Amino acid sequence: SSTSAADGWVTDPILEGGEELTLEMAIELQEQSEAKRSSLRDACQRVLTSNGPKLALEAGWTLLVYLQNILKDPRSRETRRIPMDNKVFHEKIGALVAGHDVMLALGFEEEVEEKDETGSQAPRRFYAMKKVYIDDLRNAVNDLQAGQVELKKPV
């Protein structure tokens, strides 16, 4: 773990393309951190309200797997890209009301990749996390785990 430019940070963000972290960027990311947590809580609540506890629980476990894989290898482009046509993703998150909102709240962006130069195959769509802020991901994992515990409690 490295010391960051902003007080209270445990680790620096991992930026795609060798981009350097500036003090301005560090301050902006820190200011966005609490807003991200609030946005994630709101999106998760919409998933629960719109889809019910069983589907929300399954979505939460799937998200936790994705986030934990990113945390294990945050520099890996593969772990930071989730194909929207992936069967598990589509069934557990993509098909849910507000599933898209959760992905955006976690910091994923939509990305389209052309399969080949001839254009004979349809473009493939992904959710990609282009900037990884480890502390935000750890907070998201903790929040999702707490939500999973709440969902499993008897009513």
Side-chain angles (χ1 to χ4, degrees):
S1 290
S2 62
T3 304
S4 177
D7 291 337
W9 278 31
V10 177
T11 56
D12 285 339
I14 294 171
L15 308 174
E16 199 167 78
E19 192 177 356
E20 291 293 320
L21 178 68
T22 64
L23 180 59
E24 293 79 17
M25 195 183 301
I27 292 168
E28 182 181 340
L29 285 170
Q30 190 171 16
E31 288 171 352
Q32 292 171 359
S33 184
E34 190 51 44
K36 281 184 190 176
R37 285 184 89 171
S38 176
S39 177
L40 178 60
R41 282 190 293 269
D42 292 347
C44 287
Q45 186 60 48
R46 285 193 304 279
V47 167
L48 175 61
T49 304
S50 302
N51 303 284
K54 181 179 186 292
L55 293 176
L57 191 64
E58 290 175 4
W61 288 125
T62 305
L63 288 168
L64 282 167
V65 169
Y66 290 139
L67 297 181
Q68 288 165 341
N69 285 339
I70 293 170
L71 284 170
K72 283 180 200 166
D73 191 5
R75 295 190 186 280
S76 166
R77 186 171 183 255
E78 280 309 302
T79 62
R80 294 183 287 114
R81 294 178 78 217
I82 301 166
M84 291 185 194
D85 61 0
N86 174 281
K87 184 178 191 257
V88 172
F89 170 78
H90 182 72
E91 289 175 0
K92 305 291 184 189
I93 300 165
L96 299 183
V97 173
H100 173 78
D101 298 340
V102 171
M103 297 303 288
L104 296 179
L106 286 167
F108 286 93
E109 300 172 35
E110 288 188 58
E111 182 178 278
V112 178
E113 181 179 274
E114 301 298 326
K115 283 198 174 185
D116 60 25
E117 295 80 38
T118 65
S120 61
Q121 296 183 19
R124 194 160 185 212
R125 297 175 63 217
F126 293 85
Y127 278 109
M129 187 174 285
K130 295 181 180 179
K131 295 180 181 181
V132 176
Y133 178 45
I134 302 296
D135 293 353
D136 279 352
L137 279 185
R138 286 185 182 138
N139 288 336
V141 166
N142 290 337
D143 291 347
L144 284 167
Q145 287 172 333
Q148 296 296 86
V149 168
E150 286 300 311
L151 284 174
K152 287 170 46 174
K153 285 183 180 176
V155 180

